[in-house]
Amino acid sequence: MKKLRESSILLLGLTLLMSSLAGCGSSKDEGTAGSSTDTGSSKAVSDVKKEGFPIVSKPLSLTMMSQDAGVADWNKMPVLQEMEKLTGIKMVYQNSPIDSFATKKNLVFASGNLPDMFYAADLKPAEQVTYGSQGVLIPLESYIDNGYAPNLKKIFDANPGIRKSFTTPDGHMYALPNIDLAAVWYRSPMWYNGKFLKALGVTELPKTTDELYAFLKRVKEEDPNGNGKKDEIPLTSVKLDDLRMYFLGFWGIYDEVIYADKAGKVHYTPQEEGYKGYLTFMNRLWKDNLLDHETFSQTPDQKKAKGKNNQIALFNDYYPYFTLGGEPSGDNPLMTPVKSEIADSPVYGKHPGISANGTFAITKSNPDPEATMRWIDYLYSYEGATLFAQGPENLLWKYKNKDTHEKEWLPVPGGVDREEYRGTMTPNYGILTPGMNEADLTKGLKSDFDTWIDKENAEKLTPIGKAPFPNVYLTNEEQSEASALLSDLNTYVIQMEAKFVTGQEPLANWDKYTAQIKKMGGDRIAELYQGAYDRWNGSKK
């Protein structure tokens, strides 16, 4: 259960990784299939209220397909029971385990035996456009604009970038995102072992790559764990996947594949000069035994074992105690991104505020899209987001001051872990779901550790943070070309990264490497995504 809880926390960042590059194209046939202006499929539009509850005046039953963490029966979840009472809409759940959901979803699309809606659907951009242009998924924008989603409309009006990031090239919106207006981390960050800092008398964290090197060198030589052995590991990783994006920021790079700089120029990272700086530094750490030599062979569990054995000085995880053990505390500080020889460094690839994939969609089989849109829109309100995130009032929490949204926790029934108990109350557990998050949702509920995390983020990451790249959609032809190029490029880049870092390939061969990257299409990748970015940036949606 602990692993599920950790995966639930990690899910958003991991889901976002690279998905923004999976954009896809519009069909050349941009007819009215599934057009939201055709409400003929709705049986009783006049019975759907645009305001207030219940949503419908007559009982309505709809089928929902979702992935499921398998903690509890959705029919018995207090959150979903509350939603049925509130809205007058009964849901019939067609759930599939997380591990098999993608396969089940593909089979459902292929068979045509569709649910009325998809929830926590992880709809890739290609799926949105393919099934949207075929009329399998219906466009949602007219329901949003015509009063059936006032909460979403309010968010879109305040954040136009969110709306255009989910509007496909044919002008339609076929899926809804998870919206997190409070998020900072795009990937889990880096942490220092506070015990090592104390043992070495470090009172100010490194601010440059040279200072970082000097600190790691001291870890190697001065026995900060105090066991009389030289078993300390200054920096550890699993295949560099866990630290790459954070470290690239030291050389002015926001993402490991594609990013747009502050001027709007799109870059393909593996051929940038800053990427060479990153490789050079990592190679220096490797040669001097400051980077764990098991980096390219160890598992995450093996890395954590070293942390719990108090051997690691600097590492990646969602929270430091996940690796080091113990309880949440402010003893192990968030790494301050450090400055390199690159001008305007460091930078940080900040959370873009939305999921890269669609979390909700309505199918052509749905008998009442208007009612369905009202149902899902509630999850984008403060009240609905609170219900789905924390459960009904007076079970796990209560208001201290409803006017200011300040809450307080109640004792957990049975004295079990609060997060595990929450997973029995709401479907929003272990899966990325539709809805929104904002700071007010947790007002009064944050622990001292949560407050410390917010302070660390505000001081170290937010001032230098920018979302690496928006959700964009390529045309069909562009997507086919980009997918083919990246398939070969990704393999080559990962292979060469390991060779450069470990010294199997000398960095003197950098020009030879970049020539090969360009030959394989690196410049073309930047060009394709520059075009998509310019279309997105010029969109008035």
Side-chain angles (χ1 to χ4, degrees), residues 151 378-388 399 405 436 441:
N151 297 301
Y378 186 61
L379 278 65
Y380 292 91
S381 69
Y382 166 80
E383 294 79 11
T386 292
L387 174 64
F388 274 73
Y399 277 113
H405 292 168
M436 72 92 179
L441 290 182

Side-chain angles (χ1 to χ4, degrees), residues 9-23:
I9 295 173
L10 287 165
L11 185 62
L12 184 57
L14 296 178
T15 300
L16 284 163
L17 173 62
M18 297 293 293
S19 295
S20 62
L21 304 183

Side-chain angles (χ1 to χ4, degrees), residues 222-379:
E222 297 182 25
D223 190 28
N225 68 9
N227 65 359
K229 304 175 184 177
K230 287 198 171 183
D231 61 348
E232 288 85 358
I233 301 167
L235 173 65
T236 192
S237 175
V238 177
K239 298 179 175 61
L240 302 179
D241 292 340
D242 48 0
L243 64 74
R244 185 183 300 113
M245 186 166 164
Y246 205 87
F247 270 50
L248 283 170
F250 307 165
W251 284 270
I253 294 173
Y254 289 92
D255 185 77
E256 52 201 302
V257 182
I258 290 287
Y259 69 96
D261 62 25
K262 293 177 182 178
K265 182 181 178 181
V266 174
H267 301 263
Y268 177 57
T269 294
Q271 63 185 24
E272 293 293 312
E273 195 64 25
Y275 185 73
K276 179 184 179 182
Y278 154 77
L279 291 177
T280 302
F281 185 72
M282 300 307 291
N283 172 252
R284 183 186 182 194
L285 298 184
W286 181 275
K287 286 192 299 185
D288 293 347
N289 289 312
L290 305 183
L291 172 61
D292 192 346
H293 277 206
E294 294 183 349
T295 283
F296 296 100
S297 60
Q298 71 181 340
T299 66
D301 284 344
Q302 288 170 330
K303 184 185 83 168
K304 287 179 186 290
K306 295 173 182 177
K308 289 180 172 56
N309 200 37
N310 199 31
Q311 292 178 264
I312 301 171
L314 181 61
F315 59 93
N316 169 282
D317 211 329
Y318 200 86
Y319 291 135
Y321 68 94
F322 284 1
T323 289
L324 298 178
E327 297 299 319
S329 75
D331 296 337
N332 306 292
L334 181 72
M335 182 187 192
T336 302
V338 298
K339 181 175 179 58
S340 70
E341 69 279 5
I342 297 291
D344 299 321
S345 64
V347 300
Y348 175 70
K350 186 177 179 291
H351 193 298
I354 56 174
S355 59
N357 295 331
T359 56
F360 181 86
I362 300 175
T363 76
K364 66 179 181 180
S365 298
N366 192 301
D368 206 328
E370 294 83 2
T372 306
M373 184 57 73
R374 278 287 331 268
W375 190 95
I376 195 62
D377 182 65
Y378 186 61
L379 278 65

Side-chain angles (χ1 to χ4, degrees), residues 424-464:
T424 68
M425 297 172 54
T426 176
N428 290 21
Y429 181 83
I431 54 177
L432 189 66
T433 56
M436 72 92 179
N437 179 48
E438 63 178 7
D440 261 11
L441 290 182
T442 53
K443 194 172 183 180
L445 299 179
K446 288 194 172 184
S447 65
D448 291 343
F449 179 70
D450 296 327
T451 302
W452 175 76
I453 291 288
D454 289 344
K455 184 173 182 290
E456 291 285 278
N457 285 334
E459 291 177 355
K460 299 175 180 179
L461 299 183
T462 302
I464 60 170

